[in-house]
Each structure stands twice: as structure tokens, then as C-alpha cells.
Amino acid sequence: MNEQLIKIFKNLSLYEASIGRIFPSKAYTNAVNTLKNLDFEVTDAKQVAGFPGFGSGILKKIEEYLANGTFKRYEEYLQSDLAKYHELAEIKGIGLNKAKALFNYFDVEAVKARQFKVVVDAVNSIGGEVIPALLERLGCQVVKLNCEPNGQFAHNPEPLAENLTEISKVIVEVGADLGVVVDPDVDRL
């Protein structure tokens, strides 16, 4: 139950911040921080009454969620534009503004429906975390190649033709729709 509440309150914190409601955003964040540190599962709002981050408003939402599986503010969030691209915003290095731009640039639902198979060569840079996570959230099946972000480049990191032989072979071997190669600071594909 705690993990579900954490996810919901994190989403609501972003939602409130995106519409300029800073106090509610911080209230949800405070509740999340306390929930993360609890050594028991919340099954009744009374269990956390008086804990940091659990004022009357948050307690009421927990009671409603426990009784109904949802609550009004969460339903409002689910109907918002933010809910559409929020899962992209959760990816380390993407953030809310980039997620919104990506969502508006791509037909995300069409990409998800297509279920592309993509080979990613991130030359063991930070792109090994960000690019596969982004593609997976877009519904792609990802084949990772050199995606351990340890800074030990598996080959010359410049995405030039002579450095793409390994990924070219893997694309054919696995029947991928696409191959993506990034440079170390992930500013070029």
C-alpha cells in the first residue's frame, strides 16, 4: 500500500507544482518522504496521524483511497495533460519540460502501439540509463549494447560509420526496427 501511496503523492506533487500550487506540492512531497521511511504498511490513516507530512488533508485522501481505490484530486490529475507525459518525466535526466516537449513532438500512443524493437549503443555513458528508459516508456523492446554507465567507452565514442559496425551486426541479428547510438554526453544520436 505504501508504494501505491508514494506513487500517487509523487504524481500529485508534480501536478500541483505544474499548475503553480506550491504549498500542496510540498505537502505531497512531505508525505512521500515520511512514507518512504515507515517500517509498516499503512492500512488505516489513523496509523500515520501526527507523523510529519500527514495533515488533515492528506489523511482524508488516504482514508478515501483506502475505501475507494482513488480520490477526487487524483482523478483530476489522471484527466490532466500532465498525466499523459508524467511517466516520461520520471526518467532520470528527462524532467517535466523535456517530457512535455517529447510528448508533444511524438505521437506517443502510436509509438507505443507499434512496439518497436530498438538496439541502443550508449558507449557505456549516462545514455545507457536514459535512452533505454525513455524507449521502454515509449513501449519499445530495447536491446542494450554497451549501456553500463561506467565511463569505460567500449569503442571510439564518436557515432561515425567506422564506429557502428557492432550495432549494425546486432540490429540484423535481432531483427530490430532501429538502432540508436549516442555520444558520451548524449547530445547527439
Side-chain angles (χ1 to χ4, degrees), residues 7 14 39 47 58 94 98 118 121 124 146 152 159 173:
K7 182 177 180 180
L14 273 177
D39 60 357
Q47 292 173 283
I58 297 287
I94 298 291
K98 286 181 190 171
V118 182
D121 182 349
N124 292 331
N146 304 315
Q152 302 297 314
E173 287 172 4

Side-chain angles (χ1 to χ4, degrees), residues 13-44:
S13 178
L14 273 177
Y15 175 59
E16 297 292 357
S18 76
I19 59 175
R21 293 174 35 104
I22 303 306
F23 180 77
S25 174
K26 287 184 178 185
Y28 287 121
T29 298
N30 291 338
V32 165
N33 291 336
T34 299
L35 281 165
K36 285 180 178 179
N37 294 311
L38 293 179
D39 60 357
F40 60 90
E41 288 293 310
V42 176
T43 57
D44 187 323

